[in-house]
Amino acid sequence: MSTALASIPEQTAASSAAATSTTIVINKGGTRQGFSPAASTMSQDGWLTIVNLDDFNHTVTSVAVDAAGRPLFDVLVRTGATVTVKIAAGLAAGQYPFFCRFHPNMRGTLTVTGAEPGEEPAAPSFDQPLVIPKVITAANPRVIAQKRAVRVLPTGRQTPMWTYGGSWPGPTIRRPTGERTRVTIVNRLPRRAGPTSVHLHGDHHASKDDGQPTKFPVRPGQARTYDFPLRYDSKPEPSSFFFYHDHRMDRTSLNNWRGLQGMFIVDDPSEGDLRLPTGRRDVPLLIADRSFRYDNSLVEPQEPTRVQSHGTGHEQMAFTGPNAPPNDATVGTHVLANGRYAPYLNVKAVRYRIRLLNGSNFTSYNFALSNGRPFVQIGTGNGLLRQPVVRQDILLGPSQRADVIVDFHGLTGQDVILKSVPRTDVAPDEGTGTRVASIMQFRVGEKAKDSSRLPQVLPSPKRVKAPKVVSKTWRFDLGGSVEEGTFWGINDQTFDPARVDHEVQLGDTEAWRLRNDSDLTHYVHIHAEQWRTVSRNGGRPLPWERGLEDVWKLDPGEDVVVAARFEDYTGPFMVHCHMLDHEDHGMMATFEVSTRR
Ligand SMILES: [Cu+2]
């Protein structure tokens, strides 16, 4: 007994002499300033302490993953907290770049020293095939919303999800423009899911068919038919790449996370003359992140506590607790393509049309190809651009799309990886960053006959003439206080389904200003019409913003003016942030289109 006691101080002294520990501080303003220091060194038996003095929760997450795709370390440090962990125990000596999952512009490197064997980073092995969701071409499809176990991770159990039609993503609905399409959604989700509401993002249709957050729900056990004429101003609408997903008030983030998402393609048969790649060479990709428990089930997003009212008359939302705004960020560890982790696709050495959709709740990506081949962007999701734009990387926030051509000519035998890389369009302190991930692999095979072309000029849809005067400004910011509860607001108010925030007349054209006064980047979506971007920060919109759009990136302080004519339909429609936690926590407003009195 006495021998054992005597030996303890000796051992402690010996190990503390050898161990190198380190501390990383996140100062106030960390979302912009990053980790301090950005580079630190520790030994395998040392301690890492993370002190978070910022108003935001942060993580220290390794870029390197294990064979199952899990980060080698992933430490959550809430606002005001200090965490000390033996993070390097079990890691091989080496350099480990890390980032914050909520604010990936925050990056650093941890150097681990020591002689013990340990876990080495595993490059993704890309060993499951990419799944192309089943395509439905019927005019009146019936899609059953149902719980189903689906294959997401390559090994282990399937993942129970809430799906459209039994898969995630749900079936891709593909229709010729101008041909009326009536989609019946049957709600056979578990009863606790409650009512659902389906929004066809980007499309132009009646208010009652818009997937209203509170009205026209599809109740448990019931069905509802959504009517999509696929027309604009009574003419066929532009060829499009849309996103259908749940839009129920308060639960949009949760319902999308669980899998209620699918793609919708509108074809314009007259574009056949363009000879863009078709058939198996036209690949829609829904990219989204999720986190998994060890049984491969989804980690449940954590909701903040809702404070019912400020007593202002309107039912002003506010939230408290560790996940209250601005710490409401539903972010996953694994980045998935069409619902699979690290899939591969066998391609021929020819041109492909790739339709990229960011289906994530919160995370944005800056897409790039591993061999430096650029993307040639031909469309936005709402029709084609006037001219193709050659881009090395493409930043897409939640619900944004890009229609691109990738040319695999000359790459026979190579593996080209679709990655997300840090965004380079702004400095890390000027906007929320993008994830670093290897998403999927294209295995380039033999050359094949390729009758596709890359047109120099594209038939881009007509854009409205923008009025000189801005008739509405929507200001996006964090509101409330830590004591009384915080919220995401538009013009200082949270969403209230009983309130109309702006009225417009059918047939009028209006210009609206979108302005971000908060410290995080937002991606703002406007329903009902197809909008043109008039200006960005007072200047000309970026080359890929010169078609029609429905979601805009707004970095802190940015100001975008958009314009549209209100056509065909009256009633309420939404404007909201498409970071779904922000939407659920207040950042949504209503505009109502009415006929001239
Ligand atoms: Cu937002």
Side-chain angles (χ1 to χ4, degrees):
M1 179 108 185
S2 62
T3 320
L5 270 176
S7 71
I8 289 169
E10 249 175 41
Q11 274 185 355
T12 308
S15 65
S16 66
T20 309
S21 294
T22 191
T23 297
I24 295 172
V25 180
I26 304 159
N27 287 303
K28 198 167 161 61
T31 51
R32 293 188 178 215
Q33 305 315 323
F35 299 103
S36 181
S40 38
T41 298
M42 66 183 294
S43 59
Q44 286 171 319
D45 55 351
W47 298 91
L48 171 68
T49 297
I50 307 157
V51 183
N52 183 358
L53 303 176
D54 195 16
D55 303 328
F56 293 78
N57 296 344
H58 296 288
T59 74
V60 170
T61 304
S62 74
V63 172
V65 296
D66 66 15
R70 295 176 201 280
L72 295 184
F73 51 85
D74 182 25
V75 184
L76 170 67
V77 196
R78 295 191 188 280
T79 170
T82 296
V83 171
T84 298
V85 278
K86 276 216 145 175
I87 202 169
L91 292 179
Q95 289 206 333
Y96 294 87
F98 62 85
F99 65 105
C100 169
R101 279 202 276 137
F102 308 138
H103 317 97
N105 49 303
M106 299 173 64
R107 292 194 296 274
T109 304
L110 185 67
T111 301
V112 174
T113 60
E116 296 296 319
E119 183 144 28
E120 308 256 5
S125 50
F126 301 106
D127 37 29
Q128 53 179 347
L130 179 79
V131 175
I132 307 293
K134 184 178 117 185
V135 177
I136 293 181
T137 56
N140 303 305
R142 198 176 159 83
V143 177
I144 297 174
Q146 58 193 292
K147 185 176 173 181
R148 184 70 71 85
V150 295
R151 170 60 58 200
V152 179
L153 298 178
T155 56
R157 290 193 194 183
Q158 295 190 321
T159 300
M161 296 187 76
W162 292 357
T163 69
Y164 291 123
S167 65
W168 175 59
T172 299
I173 301 173
R174 187 153 194 167
R175 295 284 298 153
T177 184
E179 294 202 10
R180 188 176 184 185
T181 303
R182 277 174 284 199
V183 180
T184 299
I185 301 288
V186 185
N187 182 355
R188 289 205 194 121
L189 293 166
R191 289 203 80 83
R192 69 190 160 91
T196 178
S197 182
V198 185
H199 174 54
L200 180 53
H201 178 124
D203 184 52
H204 177 66
H205 44 245
S207 174
K208 69 175 173 44
D209 296 307
D210 197 41
Q212 294 285 341
T214 56
K215 300 184 185 89
F216 313 112
V218 194
R219 296 189 190 287
Q222 297 188 356
R224 178 177 171 79
T225 299
Y226 292 86
D227 191 349
F228 305 125
L230 308 184
R231 288 178 172 271
Y232 202 100
D233 187 18
S234 64
K235 293 182 277 293
E237 70 186 5
S239 63
S240 303
F241 178 42
F242 294 148
F243 176 26
Y244 67 95
H245 61 82
D246 178 87
H247 209 294
R248 185 175 147 207
M249 180 168 157
D250 301 333
R251 305 200 48 153
T252 299
S253 183
L254 177 70
N255 289 351
N256 275 266
W257 177 263
R258 287 190 173 151
L260 293 175
Q261 307 184 309
M263 297 179 275
F264 193 120
I265 295 173
V266 179
D267 287 307
D268 181 344
S270 77
E271 288 174 5
D273 300 347
L274 295 174
R275 288 162 52 196
L276 297 169
T278 58
R280 293 164 76 149
R281 299 179 187 176
D282 178 354
V283 181
L285 287 180
L286 185 151
I287 309 297
D289 57 343
R290 296 289 185 275
S291 291
F292 303 89
R293 298 198 198 96
Y294 278 89
D295 63 358
N296 287 358
S297 63
L298 291 177
V299 171
E300 288 284 289
Q302 296 189 341
E303 268 297 296
T305 306
R306 184 167 172 156
V307 183
Q308 274 305 330
S309 177
H310 277 346
T312 55
H314 290 300
E315 198 205 348
Q316 179 84 349
M317 297 177 201
F319 301 86
T320 57
N323 299 295
N327 292 313
D328 45 345
T330 301
V331 167
T333 49
H334 291 61
V335 181
L336 313 164
N338 287 351
R340 296 268 176 139
Y341 175 66
Y344 69 87
L345 178 68
N346 289 317
V347 296
K348 299 262 171 31
V350 297
R351 282 190 201 93
Y352 278 70
R353 181 178 191 172
I354 312 273
R355 301 172 194 253
L356 293 165
L357 158 63
N358 178 357
S360 297
N361 289 40
F362 188 90
T363 299
S364 53
Y365 305 98
N366 191 33
F367 294 105
L369 295 171
S370 59
N371 64 345
R373 275 263 160 125
F375 304 103
V376 181
Q377 187 174 352
I378 56 169
T380 59
N382 301 68
L384 299 172
L385 293 164
R386 289 174 172 188
Q387 291 169 334
V389 184
V390 178
R391 302 182 68 184
Q392 284 305 132
D393 50 357
I394 296 183
L395 169 64
L396 294 181
S399 81
Q400 286 191 305
R401 290 93 68 207
D403 189 353
V404 304
I405 302 291
V406 174
D407 192 342
F408 293 109
H409 278 105
L411 302 178
T412 296
Q414 292 189 30
D415 295 331
V416 179
I417 295 167
L418 175 68
K419 303 186 297 179
S420 176
V421 298
R423 58 184 284 203
T424 52
D425 58 328
V426 293
D429 62 347
E430 291 174 336
T432 305
T434 49
R435 272 297 284 273
V436 174
S438 293
I439 299 169
M440 67 165 285
Q441 182 188 54
F442 296 100
R443 298 181 181 170
V444 186
E446 293 302 315
K447 221 176 155 208
K449 185 169 182 296
D450 187 359
S451 54
S452 76
R453 283 192 322 149
L454 193 56
Q456 291 169 337
V457 180
L458 296 160
S460 186
K462 250 179 60 191
R463 302 176 308 181
V464 294
K465 193 169 181 311
K468 289 253 178 325
V469 179
V470 168
S471 41
K472 180 70 185 174
T473 294
W474 304 97
R475 234 172 14 80
F476 298 81
D477 203 357
L478 183 70
S481 64
V482 173
E483 296 72 35
E484 299 205 346
T486 50
F487 58 86
W488 288 108
I490 303 181
N491 298 342
D492 303 317
Q493 288 187 301
T494 58
F495 178 62
D496 178 351
R499 189 185 68 227
V500 171
D501 299 283
H502 183 57
E503 289 191 46
V504 296
Q505 298 294 319
L506 189 68
D508 279 4
T509 302
E510 290 200 354
W512 292 354
R513 172 171 280 117
L514 311 173
R515 191 185 156 75
N516 179 3
D517 286 343
S518 80
D519 289 332
L520 294 184
T521 301
H522 299 276
Y523 290 86
V524 171
H525 173 45
I526 311 180
H527 288 211
E529 311 302 326
Q530 290 168 341
W531 299 77
R532 71 170 287 191
T533 311
V534 179
S535 66
R536 177 173 283 280
N537 305 321
R540 206 172 166 206
L542 300 163
W544 52 89
E545 291 183 321
R546 295 177 194 164
L548 296 178
E549 299 257 314
D550 59 54
V551 191
W552 295 268
K553 175 210 62 144
L554 288 173
D555 282 325
E558 278 205 299
D559 174 311
V560 170
V561 176
V562 303
R565 190 167 56 237
F566 298 90
E567 292 285 6
D568 302 315
Y569 305 113
T570 56
F573 294 95
M574 303 299 131
V575 43
H576 64 88
C577 180
H578 219 290
M579 293 156 94
L580 300 179
D581 305 284
H582 295 178
E583 172 189 337
D584 281 344
H585 301 149
M587 205 170 242
M588 180 153 69
T590 303
F591 64 94
E592 179 149 4
V593 185
S594 52
T595 47
R596 228 167 268 283
R597 279 170 285 261

